[in-house]
């Protein structure tokens, strides 16, 4: 939940139910991809990591709480910046949900 790398012993802690995986797109001149999983039964506050020192904002490309993949992009009442997050920003994740963020190369 802190955006910091996990220590080896943390992988075996049954109380840990939030996981973030950051894939750097730098070697292929592609976008960084961040997958955030909340496997707990409660809403969690999650601090997003820095993208390999590039520090670019993250676009929320997909959220499993959306009924359809395009729901987040086309909500009439959505604020434009609700789909944008910054590195080190803390976001609320719904129970048993997953998000995909992309950062432009």
């Amino acid at each position: 939940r802190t955006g910091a790398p996990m220590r080896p012993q943390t992988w075996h802690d049954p109380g840990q139910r939030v996981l973030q995986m950051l894939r750097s797109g730098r070697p292929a001149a592609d976008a960084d991809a961040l997958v955030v999983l909340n496997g707990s039964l409660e809403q969690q506050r999650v601090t997003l990591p820095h993208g390999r020192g590039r520090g670019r904002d993250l676009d929320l490309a997909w959220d499993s709480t959306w009924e359809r993949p395009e729901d987040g992009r086309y909500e009439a009442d959505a604020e434009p910046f609700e789909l944008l997050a910054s590195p080190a920003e803390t976001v609320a994740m719904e129970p048993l949900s997953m998000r995909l963020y992309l950062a432009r190369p």
Side-chain angles (χ1 to χ4, degrees):
R1 290 188 304 195
T2 65
M6 287 176 49
R7 298 177 312 222
Q9 64 270 25
T10 307
W11 285 99
H12 303 286
D13 180 352
Q16 294 291 328
R17 294 290 197 208
V18 175
L19 175 74
Q20 298 184 67
M21 182 190 75
L22 178 63
R23 174 216 160 257
S24 174
R26 183 175 277 181
D30 199 0
D32 290 347
L34 173 65
V35 176
V36 185
L37 302 163
N38 177 11
S40 75
L41 298 175
E42 297 177 5
Q43 186 182 69
Q44 297 292 323
R45 307 266 321 143
V46 178
T47 302
L48 302 176
H50 288 277
R52 304 288 273 176
R54 295 203 276 181
R56 295 212 165 76
D57 285 341
L58 301 162
D59 291 314
L60 179 57
W62 182 74
D63 188 326
S64 66
T65 64
W66 296 342
E67 187 173 325
R68 293 179 304 273
E70 64 274 5
D71 280 355
R73 296 267 179 220
Y74 303 111
E75 291 282 330
D77 59 347
E79 292 293 325
F81 294 108
E82 286 181 5
L83 300 173
L84 192 64
S86 297
E89 182 176 334
T90 300
V91 297
M93 291 282 300
E94 294 302 316
L96 301 174
S97 66
M98 180 173 88
R99 287 184 178 174
L100 170 64
Y101 289 94
L102 297 174
R104 294 183 194 97

